[in-house]
Amino acid sequence: MLRLSPLGRELARGTASSCGRTTRLGGTDGVAKAPLLSTCATLDRMAAQDGDEPFDVFDRSGKPLGVRKARRLVHRDGDWHRSVHVWVVLERETDARRSDAEPWVLFQQRSPDKDTWPGALEVAVSGHYRAGEDLAEALREAEEEIGLPLSPADVIRLGVRRSVDDHTPGIVDRELQDVLLATTRRPLAAFRPHPEEVTALLSLPLAAALRLVRGEAESVGGLQMQAPDGAGAVKIAPRDVRFDEFIVARDGYYERALESIRRRLAGETPSLWSLG
């Protein structure tokens, strides 16, 4: 399990994240064998968004081109680069005593300081591979963003996605996204979103989330936890959410990922999928 050194964490984040127990869902062959390909399309206003951070450049098929460029240049030039998306499922959000309690899906609300999609909702964890990184190193994003340490053994692959986002002037974000799943027994209150990157965490029942992304409900209810305040206090309250509050995905990404999660939690082993 990858952990930042205390000094590295202090320099990169300013605060230490809490750690908790995660549980593994299914096997890991997909992660180990499939070529690894987020929707974190940002330039940089803060330490977490270093414009000089080096990325490896790929072609659309995922073949490395042997070129490394700074993040801001990659986004300016529209180069393909790798990123990671981790969908996080809370196994028993409502009542840990019930074996039949419905799983809930975790989302994050992006900081208002982000250069793309400020304040929008998205998958629980998303981030780029830095140049030369493997999956274990890229999964640092989970602990840095929401306080959930993950290793490759804690995730399984759902699919891969090619995403092109040019809605922000001056940015063409072409990502080869590894779409992964992790499950955890920790409740919403045990997460620690980093306030510089994440405004809040939102937890939705899986069935309700599916109804929302399929257009079967105008809004659904969940629980929201604000990022810790200056004193480290957190607040959890009910929240109704609409689908137009999420980062736009016109390729059916949310439904594809959530349906795949539903099937896996039901004991099925759906085939890996590819979008884009």
Side-chain angles (χ1 to χ4, degrees), residues 136-147:
E137 294 166 314
L139 285 173
R140 72 184 186 281
E141 295 285 351
E143 186 169 7
E144 292 176 5
E145 290 187 358
I146 64 173

Side-chain angles (χ1 to χ4, degrees), residues 6 10 36 40 110 135 169 188 217 251 266:
E10 179 181 357
L36 293 173
C40 183
R110 293 165 63 83
L135 178 62
L188 179 61
D251 56 359

Side-chain angles (χ1 to χ4, degrees), residues 61-231:
S61 70
K63 178 182 178 180
L65 300 181
V67 175
R68 290 184 176 182
K69 295 172 66 172
R71 174 202 292 248
R72 64 174 180 272
L73 300 180
V74 166
H75 285 162
R76 181 199 68 185
D77 298 340
D79 297 311
W80 288 100
H81 54 290
R82 291 175 61 198
S83 57
V84 62
H85 255 201
V86 185
W87 290 77
V88 176
V89 168
L90 315 184
E91 292 179 333
R92 298 182 183 93
E93 176 60 75
T94 53
D95 189 343
R97 296 167 297 179
R98 290 177 49 194
S99 62
D100 62 342
E102 181 180 7
W104 287 46
V105 183
L106 191 67
F107 300 91
Q108 68 161 269
Q109 182 177 2
R110 293 165 63 83
S111 165
D113 294 322
K114 294 286 190 178
D115 287 322
T116 61
W117 301 108
L121 293 167
E122 67 163 326
V123 61
V125 177
S126 65
H128 294 91
Y129 285 82
R130 295 169 184 160
E133 281 191 331
D134 59 16
L135 178 62
E137 294 166 314
L139 285 173
R140 72 184 186 281
E141 295 285 351
E143 186 169 7
E144 292 176 5
E145 290 187 358
I146 64 173
L148 179 67
L150 292 174
S151 73
D154 298 316
V155 298
I156 60 172
R157 178 178 301 283
L158 300 178
V160 296
R161 181 186 184 218
R162 293 175 179 84
S163 174
V164 179
D165 184 356
D166 60 358
H167 85 283
T168 301
I171 298 177
V172 180
D173 190 21
R174 290 190 172 95
E175 294 190 354
L176 303 165
Q177 300 173 356
D178 288 317
V179 184
L180 311 172
L181 170 64
T183 64
T184 177
R185 292 180 180 174
R186 61 162 58 186
L188 179 61
F191 289 87
R192 288 297 178 265
H194 195 287
E196 288 184 354
E197 295 192 60
V198 179
T199 297
L201 293 177
L202 174 72
S203 181
L204 295 177
L206 175 58
L210 270 167
R211 290 197 305 272
L212 184 68
V213 303
R214 288 171 175 165
E216 298 170 357
E218 183 176 341
S219 66
V220 296
L223 294 175
Q224 177 175 283
M225 181 178 72
Q226 295 294 131
D229 61 20

